[in-house]
Amino acid sequence: MVNHAAHEAAPTRHGMPHRLRILLAVLCGVSVANIYYAQPLLGQIGADLSLPAAGLGLVVALAQLGYLAGLIVLVPLSDLVDRRKLIALQIGAAATGMMLVAFSTTGLQLLIGITVAGAFSVVVQVIVAYAAAISHPEERGTNIGVITSGVVVGIILARTVAGLVADLAGWRAVYSGSAVTSLLIAAIALTLLPKDVRACSGQGGATRLRPKTGNYMRAVGAVVTLTTTNRVFRTRALITLFLFASFGALWSGMALPLSEEPWRLSTTQIGLFGIAGLVGALGAISAGRWADEGKAQRVTGLSLIVLVLSWVLSAQATHSLVLLTVGVIALDFAVQAVHVTSQNLIVAHAPESSGRIIGSYMVFYSLGSAIGAISTTAVFHAAGWSGASAVGGGYAAAALIVWIVDLTRTSRARNQPGRKDGPAAEFSHTNWDSE
């Protein structure tokens, strides 16, 4: 049995300083932005490297698939090695991938670089685990909330920044600038982040943490264990798969109709839609509090209905930018509300295992984002924006159907005398930490 207390960094007497929260939020925002810069740049990238329009979604998809691989292979290391050094190393490795993208001369070089950058951008999850480890229990939720807000800002503003920089200096400047920024913040992280006390807990000096193969393989396999044995996790993971497929369909495909007639928008103008997305996402901040008040199912159902309806508006992108803007706000609100609520539910009954639970959950986030990116660009090439919107709306409807089926099943189970079929029962039978 792993002693989790021994793996946590000691919090400071006065709690986490506000400047440290901000630093960690910035690290998260800069790191997660790496996998979203391409979305408003697909037209420029395709024209420069002579990539076929039907295959442009692969650029975004490989960033997400790289992130997926990193969640499975790299994030488990955060429980086994010095997190401070791991954070700096992974940010630096992501910068290497971004530089390869910036100097790519072929589609293959671009795709390799984007995959490397995506894989090491999972440092975001390591940063969240690090924040939880050095926080007092009574402030852990607040700290994580502030720090993960950096993730939301990074995801949304990545598109706006990318569009503006690309119009001024070309798409390559986006990636070279990100690489330099990442190297700078890696050095800052290594210099300013508090030491991970797990690495200096031995008598009379440091005790170097070494990954144990058995422990590492169990952590890597958590996604399989959770998916096959835990109904709550499985349901929320499937909802998340469709949720972010819908999200990826909009944000990966939206640049294509907007760059054509009748709009002919520049990358800067397309990137400005990120501000609308930010408004929607930040509007869902209260979702976690609503879930704490026992309204998780209600929030999920209403948000998924909003998600489906948002596609009715977004489908009008070729006719009305106003309707598209409202659709973007509605979609980002719905996605963030369901995302926050799902994370609250899956960790509520096993907070001591939140790292591996969230890491496993994010695997489905990456899969969904990749599926959405690939499918929407391929369908747009064949059937235009109306076809792509039908695909995005289909993903949203699929998420709603999963929620309805699970709600119906749960309601029936509760009405059976003597049967326990709630989240607590599901999690209590999961063997999280056997070593």
Side-chain angles (χ1 to χ4, degrees), residues 271-310:
L272 289 175
F273 280 91
I275 297 176
L278 181 61
V279 170
L282 294 181
I285 287 177
S286 297
R289 176 172 54 81
W290 296 334
D292 289 336
E293 294 172 354
K295 302 175 182 177
Q297 293 287 19
R298 190 181 308 172
V299 170
T300 301
L302 291 175
S303 297
L304 289 175
I305 291 171
V306 171
L307 182 65
V308 173
L309 294 177
S310 75

Side-chain angles (χ1 to χ4, degrees), residues 52-55 256 260 374-389 391:
L256 300 176
E260 297 182 348
I374 292 174
S375 59
T376 192
T377 51
V379 172
F380 178 83
H381 182 68
W385 183 243
S386 59
S389 296
V391 171

Side-chain angles (χ1 to χ4, degrees), residues 354-367:
S354 58
R356 69 186 66 185
I357 297 172
I358 293 296
S360 298
Y361 165 85
M362 293 296 290
V363 168
F364 292 87
Y365 154 92
S366 291
L367 278 174

Side-chain angles (χ1 to χ4, degrees), residues 254-286:
M254 186 173 63
L256 300 176
L258 293 181
S259 61
E260 297 182 348
E261 296 293 345
W263 307 119
R264 290 288 180 183
L265 299 184
S266 67
T267 52
T268 296
Q269 292 169 322
I270 294 172
L272 289 175
F273 280 91
I275 297 176
L278 181 61
V279 170
L282 294 181
I285 287 177
S286 297

Side-chain angles (χ1 to χ4, degrees), residues 227-251:
T227 304
T228 56
T229 66
N230 191 284
R231 182 188 61 79
V232 177
F233 178 88
R234 184 168 55 249
T235 299
R236 286 290 158 168
L238 189 56
I239 289 173
T240 294
L241 179 75
F242 290 122
L243 183 76
F244 280 95
S246 185
F247 180 84
L250 179 69
W251 285 106

Side-chain angles (χ1 to χ4, degrees), residues 413-435:
R414 286 174 179 169
N415 292 330
Q416 294 181 14
R419 178 170 178 177
K420 294 182 179 179
D421 194 70
E426 290 280 357
F427 277 87
S428 64
H429 287 90
T430 304
N431 185 12
W432 302 103
D433 305 310
S434 60
E435 299 295 348

